[in-house]
Amino acid sequence: MKEKTKPKEQFKDRLIAWSEANVGTKLNNLNNIQQSRQMIKFYVREVLEKLDPAIVPDDDGELDDSIIDGSGDGGADLLYRSDDGHVLLIQAKYRGKDAPESAEAVGRFCDLQERLFLATQGKQQSLHKDLMELASQIDWAEDNFRLFFITTGKTSKTVEDRVTQGIVEIAEYPDLPDRTDFHFLDLSALNQDLREAISSSDFSNRQIVIPMLPDTNDNPWCHFEGENRELYIGEVSGAILADILQAHKASLFTMNIRDYVGDSKTNKQIIKTALTDPSNFEYFNNGVTAVAGKIIPDLENSTLTCEKMSIINGAQTVRSLRAATRRPSETQYKPVSSVRVLMRLMSFKYPAETPFVGEVTRYNNTQNAVKIADFRSNDEVQKDMARRFNNLNFKGRNYEYKNKRSSKKRNSIAVTLEELTKAVYAFRFGPDDMAGGTSKLFDTSPSGLYTKIFENPDSPLPESAFNLLAGTFFACGQIKTLWEEKRKILRSQQKTMHPALERKGLIYFAVGELERQNCAKQGWDLNHDLMKLVKPNNWLDDPESKPHIALSKAFEITSKVLAQQYDLKKKTDGDGFKHRNWFRDIGTLADIRSGLELALAFGSPPRIWP
């Protein structure tokens, strides 16, 4: 009897089941705004996070803050800007069965960048205040943009024509289209993306056969055999790499620590070179590095057959070559067929040598968009953090420290490596972007900041050190909750946060500095108090607990000081004041310290732990 073929995953079916599990009611029972919100969250968490993880928010709170609800959204349901200058814009349309998509809605989305830019210049008054708050973070001259219009509706010829026209240009930034990737995804495309995201978590279950290009002496590769592994170096056709990606999708990048999020301008240049200057492609491009659990050479046919193969450096190149095959070419019958790409293929033992692959990726990958935090995931101190957090719980829900990017366990409380490190560093020293940014924060060299948080990366933590880190993080978590509650109240009153309170990192620092100054003044031991917070069941759920009261008062004081210092700087600098620069200028920290010192002259707030 013929074995039944497993039905293909359907985006809409998965969305409906996911939404019901998350909100406890059927998707069709929700209103349009709620449906759109669920569709956004599902697409970000179940699809984009697996295919392009560096462009999406790390935690659910940040994701919620990036979603704009209802009127005044300007045609955007989500706006998120990463620390390294990637702006994600999504519009989601949940349509009923056989309902058509609207060309007008697509056109409005294509106008979105222009509308946001004009709004930041004070020339557009109809946009939601929350959207304006998010748009103010954009660096229009430098940032790269990913635009996704996703719909479960049907695509018509008029919609296709509007998609072909692309985004509306902004006269002040003529290169903006080169820094923008616009994606229109109907139900068919969403189905494909979902299936690729599902397959991305594991190696392809098929062998990958790579025909190599022989050199002038008819040698298809150079072969090096070391003590623990083999290495093959040779050339491969760009068309072959594009075909392999088409056949194996995201499973081709399973071992890539983070799939590279390329500069849109760079991606387009790769495509242009492949189509217009293929003979020079190999000289302009770094090539591709891959690993495989097993490599079978066939000299007679010039092929390398691989099992458990993954590209660990060169995702941008391969994806761009695949995109180039879809573009017309005046000189090639089959686009990229004459492109030659340098390829390095090395054997490794899976899973024992996974750390080795991480090291290869780190030394090969110099692009800023790959988040360097992931290179710290195998540090002994991070593994130890994961073990220790697993022993903590809050109201019966276990904490899960995610030193590696992976799906969250059901009913657990996720704590990511990056989230904790950034929060603790901000509390102690100030936001990391004032000291070199994320790459500096996870730099283990003497000039880096990583060892200021994790003193000995290659060793487990002493219990007191873990308690201090976790306690500080829980304190930051409570501050974040207070910040979110204040923002929610203001929203209900049709008001927005003071611009000085836009970024949580600076609030963490201000609370930390208030506590440092207050404890020094009173002769209290702040580290002792923070270590006591490591057991959240003892205080976090009780609004009358001493830590709750102390942190609430600290948040109240620091919010006023931050607003005061922001307004003072804005008044002093006049037209020269830059909102973004205030959050990056190291001098802002000194001003905050002075403001807090003055505030403490009028009285001492309560101690965190009695």
Side-chain angles (χ1 to χ4, degrees):
M1 180 181 288
K2 188 176 179 181
E3 186 177 341
K4 288 185 178 180
T5 304
K6 184 179 179 181
K8 292 184 177 180
E9 294 286 353
Q10 302 294 320
F11 181 88
K12 207 167 182 178
D13 292 343
R14 287 287 290 261
L15 166 61
I16 291 170
W18 183 90
S19 178
E20 187 169 348
N22 277 269
V23 298
T25 187
K26 294 185 181 301
L27 190 63
N28 288 337
N29 293 339
L30 304 178
N31 62 38
N32 291 341
I33 292 175
Q34 292 170 326
Q35 288 176 340
S36 173
R37 190 179 187 90
Q38 289 301 104
M39 187 170 167
I40 285 276
K41 295 176 80 169
F42 175 77
Y43 183 70
V44 169
R45 284 290 172 248
E46 299 301 314
V47 180
L48 265 189
E49 187 171 70
K50 294 176 173 61
L51 298 179
D52 292 304
I55 67 171
V56 302
D58 280 325
D59 63 76
D60 289 338
E62 199 169 15
L63 175 57
D64 285 334
D65 289 342
S66 303
I67 297 176
I68 305 101
D69 292 329
S71 62
D73 64 13
D77 290 325
L78 177 144
L79 192 163
Y80 170 71
R81 182 184 183 276
S82 67
D83 291 339
D84 41 28
H86 284 86
V87 179
L88 174 64
L89 290 161
I90 303 178
Q91 174 77 309
K93 297 291 185 182
Y94 182 75
R95 306 293 192 189
K97 186 178 180 181
D98 297 328
E101 190 45 69
S102 159
E104 182 182 358
V106 177
R108 182 168 170 74
F109 187 67
C110 290
D111 298 344
L112 177 59
Q113 285 171 300
E114 180 188 45
R115 199 156 43 254
L116 289 176
F117 172 71
L118 291 174
T120 60
Q121 304 301 302
K123 301 174 183 178
Q124 174 72 258
Q125 304 298 322
S126 61
L127 298 186
H128 197 288
K129 290 181 180 180
D130 290 343
L131 180 62
M132 289 297 301
E133 193 175 316
L134 293 167
S136 67
Q137 302 173 24
I138 297 174
D139 185 337
W140 291 97
E142 299 291 338
D143 285 352
N144 292 283
F145 293 79
R146 292 286 191 91
L147 275 63
F148 292 85
F149 188 103
I150 61 175
T151 177
T152 59
K154 281 189 171 183
T155 306
S156 64
K157 180 66 167 59
T158 54
V159 168
E160 291 176 352
D161 290 343
R162 185 61 192 89
V163 171
T164 301
Q165 291 178 36
I167 66 167
V168 172
E169 296 185 14
I170 298 176
E172 288 85 344
Y173 300 103
D175 69 328
L176 188 63
D178 290 333
R179 293 185 278 115
T180 300
D181 281 335
F182 169 44
H183 304 266
F184 172 81
L185 302 172
D186 60 10
L187 189 55
S188 175
L190 288 171
N191 287 337
Q192 292 178 25
D193 270 14
L194 174 65
R195 292 163 195 164
E196 185 172 357
I198 292 170
S199 70
S200 68
S201 62
D202 204 357
F203 297 101
S204 174
N205 58 8
R206 293 169 287 162
Q207 290 184 329
I208 297 177
V209 181
I210 309 173
M212 305 297 288
L213 298 172
D215 62 17
T216 53
N217 296 318
D218 211 31
N219 295 316
W221 54 68
C222 293
H223 178 223
F224 303 92
E225 194 164 356
E227 184 177 342
N228 297 312
R229 73 192 78 261
E230 293 181 280
L231 171 65
Y232 294 84
I233 300 177
E235 294 174 310
V236 63
S237 163
I240 291 296
L241 288 174
D243 288 345
I244 290 173
L245 176 57
Q246 172 65 13
H248 300 275
K249 304 291 191 300
S251 64
L252 195 60
F253 307 111
T254 294
M255 292 298 294
N256 207 336
I257 290 177
R258 291 288 293 273
D259 195 1
Y260 176 65
V261 181
D263 178 324
S264 301
K265 198 170 184 178
T266 302
N267 289 343
K268 290 174 182 177
Q269 187 59 52
I270 291 174
I271 294 170
K272 181 180 178 181
T273 303
L275 292 175
T276 63
D277 195 8
S279 62
N280 280 322
F281 187 93
E282 190 169 23
Y283 303 107
F284 298 159
N285 187 270
N286 290 331
V288 171
T289 300
V291 295
K294 186 176 182 180
I295 305 171
I296 305 169
D298 184 345
L299 273 171
E300 183 178 346
N301 294 303
S302 298
T303 62
L304 296 172
T305 299
C306 304
E307 296 178 2
K308 283 187 168 58
M309 175 182 155
S310 175
I311 290 174
I312 60 173
N313 182 253
Q316 175 183 217
T317 295
V318 178
R319 290 190 184 279
S320 297
L321 287 169
R322 176 60 190 157
T325 63
R326 303 189 182 101
R327 307 287 176 87
S329 172
E330 297 177 359
T331 59
Q332 299 180 66
Y333 172 70
K334 185 179 180 182
V336 310
S337 59
S338 58
V339 169
R340 301 171 79 95
V341 182
L342 181 66
M343 184 169 192
R344 297 193 308 151
L345 177 64
M346 63 190 76
S347 62
F348 83 115
K349 295 175 183 176
Y350 179 81
E353 292 192 317
T354 298
F356 164 77
V357 175
E359 289 299 293
V360 174
T361 307
R362 181 165 71 90
Y363 287 116
N364 278 266
N365 225 329
T366 57
Q367 297 96 335
N368 291 331
V370 175
K371 287 192 175 182
I372 199 168
D374 296 292
F375 294 124
R376 303 270 56 84
S377 62
N378 288 317
D379 289 349
E380 281 301 319
V381 70
Q382 297 301 336
K383 294 176 185 177
D384 184 54
M385 289 284 289
R387 287 190 291 267
R388 290 177 183 272
F389 262 103
N390 284 342
N391 294 324
L392 298 177
N393 74 85
F394 177 57
K395 299 176 69 175
R397 296 174 65 197
N398 287 332
Y399 284 94
E400 180 187 359
Y401 185 74
K402 300 175 75 63
N403 54 315
K404 293 177 182 288
R405 182 175 283 273
S406 59
S407 299
K408 186 177 83 70
K409 294 177 182 176
R410 188 176 179 84
N411 203 37
S412 68
I413 304 172
V415 177
T416 69
L417 181 163
E418 185 169 0
E419 178 189 18
L420 180 139
T421 308
K422 283 191 169 188
V424 174
Y425 186 88
F427 187 92
R428 294 180 183 177
F429 307 107
D432 61 271
D433 54 4
M434 287 186 175
T438 304
S439 60
K440 199 77 170 178
L441 182 60
F442 293 97
D443 182 356
T444 57
S445 72
S447 62
L449 307 175
Y450 185 68
T451 53
K452 297 185 80 169
I453 303 300
F454 304 102
E455 187 175 351
N456 297 304
D458 297 326
S459 303
L461 288 166
E463 184 175 358
S464 59
F466 171 78
N467 290 346
L468 181 57
L469 282 172
T472 303
F473 176 73
F474 289 144
C476 290
Q478 176 58 18
I479 296 163
K480 179 182 175 182
T481 298
L482 293 167
W483 178 82
E484 289 172 341
E485 288 173 352
K486 180 172 183 176
R487 186 173 183 175
K488 187 175 181 180
I489 291 170
L490 289 171
R491 280 178 174 174
S492 69
Q493 300 170 347
Q494 299 298 306
K495 298 177 182 178
T496 59
M497 280 280 209
H498 189 284
L501 306 181
E502 177 184 287
R503 302 190 185 183
K504 297 184 288 290
L506 203 58
I507 301 173
Y508 295 159
F509 168 75
V511 171
E513 183 60 24
L514 177 74
E515 295 300 338
R516 283 185 288 274
Q517 289 191 24
N518 190 35
C519 286
K521 191 174 181 180
Q522 301 297 328
W524 299 335
D525 185 347
L526 177 59
N527 284 354
H528 165 273
D529 292 359
L530 291 171
M531 281 188 262
K532 290 292 186 178
L533 303 184
V534 73
K535 295 182 178 180
N537 286 308
N538 291 347
W539 65 276
L540 190 54
D541 197 38
D542 180 8
E544 301 302 319
S545 68
K546 296 291 186 182
H548 237 283
I549 294 170
L551 290 171
S552 296
K553 188 63 178 178
F555 176 73
E556 179 187 345
I557 294 170
T558 54
S559 295
K560 292 177 180 178
V561 170
L562 284 167
Q564 175 200 48
Q565 292 301 316
Y566 180 97
D567 292 342
L568 182 61
K569 183 68 173 175
K570 187 175 183 179
K571 182 178 180 180
T572 303
D573 289 1
D575 292 340
F577 177 80
K578 300 291 184 185
H579 171 78
R580 286 169 58 84
N581 291 348
W582 189 76
F583 287 96
R584 295 179 174 181
D585 186 358
I586 197 72
T588 298
L589 301 184
D591 293 340
I592 292 170
R593 289 188 184 99
S594 297
L596 292 171
E597 186 176 358
L598 180 61
L600 286 171
F602 292 91
S604 176
R607 186 176 182 177
I608 289 178
W609 198 267

